[in-house]
Amino acid sequence: MAAQREAFFLGAGAERRFCLVTRPEGTPRGALLHVPAFGEELNRSRRMVALATQRLAQEGWLVMQIDLHGCGDSEGDFGDTSWSEWLRDIDRAHQWLLSQTQSPIALWSLRTGSLLASQWLSLSSSPKLPLLAWQPVLSGKQYLTQFLRIKLGADLADSNQARGLLSKIRETLQAGERVMVGGYLLQPALVEGMEASNFAFSPGHPATLAILEVAAGERVELTPATDTWTEKARAQGMLCEARAISGPKFWQSAEIEVAPALVPASLIALEAILT
């Protein structure tokens, strides 16, 4: 199937969000709302997400991508955004999709986008949607600590006050002040929301979850943390499938890399979660 791309702004003024919709030829078999990664992980994954989007559309899926508040071509500054604002952006994008198609809708998240997606699913009054999660971050607090350590890597490596540097950053944020880390101006409202978030779902969540992870090297298997999380989710009655595929960790690489096997695995997962 041929795919058509449409770029537009959702909303107006300060609420303007840049969106890119890739449509299949004919009636979509389903619609996907992509919830993106954070910071440099978002930038490094653009090529992979674009390749997947094109293939998904060729296979009959309508895919909506949105630049969240303060990101990409959307209105606002990154240093002024908040976690709750990003949750509202997901809701607005979902409402737009509802107005555009009668096809079943699912979320497709990457890395910290999975934290946003799972929290939105838990809070939303809309019918619970299936979720395809690429390499989901399981703990916002743990991710933020790693982000701070990586971005301050040089200082931490050369200083005996590593713990003190991290504590000072957190104290500054808790005092209501913004902090510049690795070129990103972090606002307390964003940090607090991320730290409080976990990849978790409300009890009895009825929709199916498919997790796909990329494993570099000879052993293609889920990370221990994801494997444990999946087993617990199943024990609690959640419909959850998880699989590892071989490929590079494209969201981490300074060079543009892709994991081609992730796309056919995603198509198989989507067929399963929407049946």
Side-chain angles (χ1 to χ4, degrees), residues 203-265:
H205 181 76
T208 306
L209 166 67
I211 296 174
L212 291 177
E213 285 195 328
V214 175
E218 295 182 359
R219 300 183 66 179
V220 181
E221 57 188 14
L222 296 171
T223 60
T226 299
D227 193 34
T228 299
W229 188 97
T230 303
E231 290 301 320
K232 288 182 178 179
R234 289 171 180 159
Q236 294 170 359
M238 188 169 181
L239 300 174
C240 178
E241 296 296 331
R243 176 186 171 192
I245 61 97
S246 179
K249 297 183 177 181
F250 54 88
W251 62 92
Q252 292 180 347
S253 176
E255 302 294 329
I256 296 176
E257 290 190 291
V258 296
L262 195 51
V263 180

Side-chain angles (χ1 to χ4, degrees), residues 24-55:
E25 187 178 73
T27 302
R29 66 173 61 182
L32 294 173
L33 171 55
H34 180 63
V35 188
F38 175 84
E40 284 304 304
E41 290 191 354
L42 183 157
N43 294 327
R44 290 169 178 172
S45 63
R46 287 190 186 278
R47 177 61 176 165
M48 183 66 221
V49 171
L51 288 174
T53 296
Q54 186 68 20
R55 175 68 185 282

Side-chain angles (χ1 to χ4, degrees), residues 70-207:
C71 302
D73 292 317
S74 287
E75 291 296 322
D77 294 324
F78 187 88
D80 295 326
T81 197
S82 67
W83 194 256
S84 60
E85 187 68 39
W86 285 355
L87 288 170
R88 284 193 291 272
D89 286 346
I90 296 173
D91 195 61
R92 294 171 62 205
H94 175 241
Q95 291 300 318
W96 184 88
L97 273 178
L98 285 174
S99 72
Q100 295 292 310
T101 180
Q102 299 297 316
S103 301
I105 298 173
L107 299 182
W108 164 33
S109 61
L110 172 62
R111 299 290 290 149
T112 51
S114 298
L115 296 174
L116 278 165
S118 63
Q119 188 169 358
W120 180 81
L121 285 169
S122 297
L123 296 174
S124 175
S125 59
S126 301
K128 303 308 181 185
L129 306 180
L131 170 63
L132 169 63
W134 278 9
Q135 207 78 27
V137 171
L138 304 181
S139 166
K141 185 174 184 178
Q142 184 179 41
Y143 176 86
L144 187 66
T145 298
Q146 292 171 346
F147 175 78
L148 294 176
R149 287 184 182 278
I150 290 171
K151 293 304 180 183
L152 297 178
D155 291 333
L156 293 176
D158 297 335
S159 173
N160 294 322
Q161 300 177 338
R163 197 171 294 175
L165 283 170
L166 289 171
S167 296
K168 188 174 181 180
I169 289 174
R170 292 187 183 279
E171 288 172 3
T172 301
L173 289 165
Q174 289 170 2
E177 298 180 31
R178 296 182 293 180
V179 174
M180 180 69 76
V181 179
Y184 290 90
L185 188 60
L186 302 180
Q187 184 196 178
L190 177 60
V191 171
E192 290 170 7
M194 181 180 289
E195 278 203 311
S197 67
N198 290 292
F199 190 55
F201 300 82
S202 56
H205 181 76

Side-chain angles (χ1 to χ4, degrees), residues 17-34:
R17 302 290 181 267
F18 179 78
C19 298
L20 182 63
V21 172
T22 306
R23 300 177 185 271
E25 187 178 73
T27 302
R29 66 173 61 182
L32 294 173
L33 171 55
H34 180 63

